[in-house]
Amino acid sequence: QVLLQQWGAGLLKPSETLSLTCAVYGGSFNYYNWSWIRQPPGKGLEWIGEVNHSGSTNLNPSLKSRVTISVDTSKNQFSLKLSSVTAADTAVYYCARDLIQLQMFDFWGQGTLVTVSS
Amino acid sequence: QSVLAQPPSASGTPGQRVTISCSGSNSNIGTNTVNWYQQLPGTAPKLLIYTNNQRPSGVPDRFSGSKSGTSASLAISGLQSEDEADYYCAAWDDSLNGYVFGTGTKVTVL
């Protein structure tokens, strides 16, 4: 069975950098893309971007200037950094496995609530 | 930003059939497959339907999906109380070069 376990700071001040990591247990790390998705409180889902095992990324244009997604294949982990956060970045952030051929997210992390407040 | 339009809510009594629509465009639903996710309160989304109409192992057959042109639908037949959740459609968008989600539909079992 596949398990995605994520962690990171839950409270940030405006202008700080959000940093989250997702560890993948089970399954092959190299045959998938790995995505970050967020959900503001009471709102819908927004795809942030994805990374493959070689480190190539594909990012949502609306966030591209502030987002870095990286991968550490030695640890089966991938990470998200979002710079210059504001209150609008307050959301639950999820990591997810992207089964490329079928363009679907078949396994998700548990989610991390990140609150941006002064 | 949600590119796929869904009704904000849908409801039915136990045993009834409920359908949820998902409207997109040629750059997403029109050329790529549609997936549906179920999000129970306080939990991460779960894959419900993939490739328009396929159910992952463990998903009851009362859930079904379809796609036509630039729209898709999710049907829940024999509605049960545990089906009360938010439902999201999603697809790859060739113009965005990324995934887009629907606005989400809250299903209430009366």
Side-chain angles (χ1 to χ4, degrees):
Chain A
Q1 184 62 302
V2 176
L3 177 66
L4 276 65
Q5 196 161 28
Q6 57 182 102
W7 65 89
L11 181 60
L12 297 173
K13 290 181 167 49
S15 80
E16 292 185 335
T17 296
L18 178 157
S19 182
L20 298 173
T21 298
C22 183
V24 180
Y25 301 98
S28 172
F29 191 78
N30 293 346
Y31 294 153
Y32 303 90
N33 283 351
W34 303 93
S35 277
W36 289 98
I37 296 157
R38 71 179 183 178
Q39 184 174 36
K43 296 188 178 180
L45 301 165
E46 180 182 31
W47 179 75
I48 299 170
E50 64 186 1
V51 64
N52 67 13
H53 69 280
S54 64
S56 295
T57 59
N58 193 17
L59 304 175
N60 189 323
S62 69
L63 297 167
K64 190 172 186 175
S65 63
R66 298 193 292 131
V67 168
T68 303
I69 299 178
S70 59
V71 66
D72 184 342
T73 54
S74 68
K75 296 181 180 179
N76 281 10
Q77 294 177 1
F78 61 107
S79 298
L80 168 70
K81 291 190 186 300
L82 179 65
S83 63
S84 305
V85 297
T86 69
D89 296 311
T90 294
V92 175
Y93 287 75
Y94 296 101
C95 57
R97 189 177 85 167
D98 174 5
L99 189 52
I100 309 164
Q101 300 93 327
L102 298 180
Q103 297 179 333
M104 68 182 193
F105 304 112
D106 58 350
F107 288 96
W108 295 64
Q110 78 276 20
T112 300
L113 174 61
V114 177
T115 302
V116 181
S117 174
S118 56
Chain B
Q1 74 284 26
S2 297
V3 175
L4 307 180
Q6 298 179 234
S9 63
S11 63
T13 57
Q16 276 191 329
R17 176 183 170 92
V18 168
T19 61
I20 301 168
S21 61
C22 174
S23 178
S25 66
N26 286 328
S27 64
N28 42 66
I29 295 178
T31 52
N32 296 295
T33 59
V34 177
N35 305 310
W36 289 90
Y37 299 90
Q38 178 193 56
Q39 187 175 33
L40 297 171
T43 69
K46 167 194 163 186
L47 180 65
L48 193 67
I49 296 286
Y50 67 96
T51 314
N52 305 325
N53 55 17
Q54 302 299 301
R55 284 186 308 276
S57 173
V59 173
D61 60 5
R62 65 176 184 276
F63 293 95
S64 62
S66 64
K67 174 185 139 175
S68 178
T70 59
S71 294
S73 292
L74 173 72
I76 311 173
S77 56
L79 191 66
Q80 299 185 7
S81 58
E82 58 260 40
D83 299 334
E84 206 163 81
D86 294 323
Y87 294 83
Y88 294 91
C89 57
W92 180 266
D93 189 293
D94 291 339
S95 297
L96 178 72
N97 199 31
Y99 288 100
V100 290
F101 286 94
T103 48
T105 298
K106 183 175 184 61
V107 169
T108 302
V109 182
L110 303 171

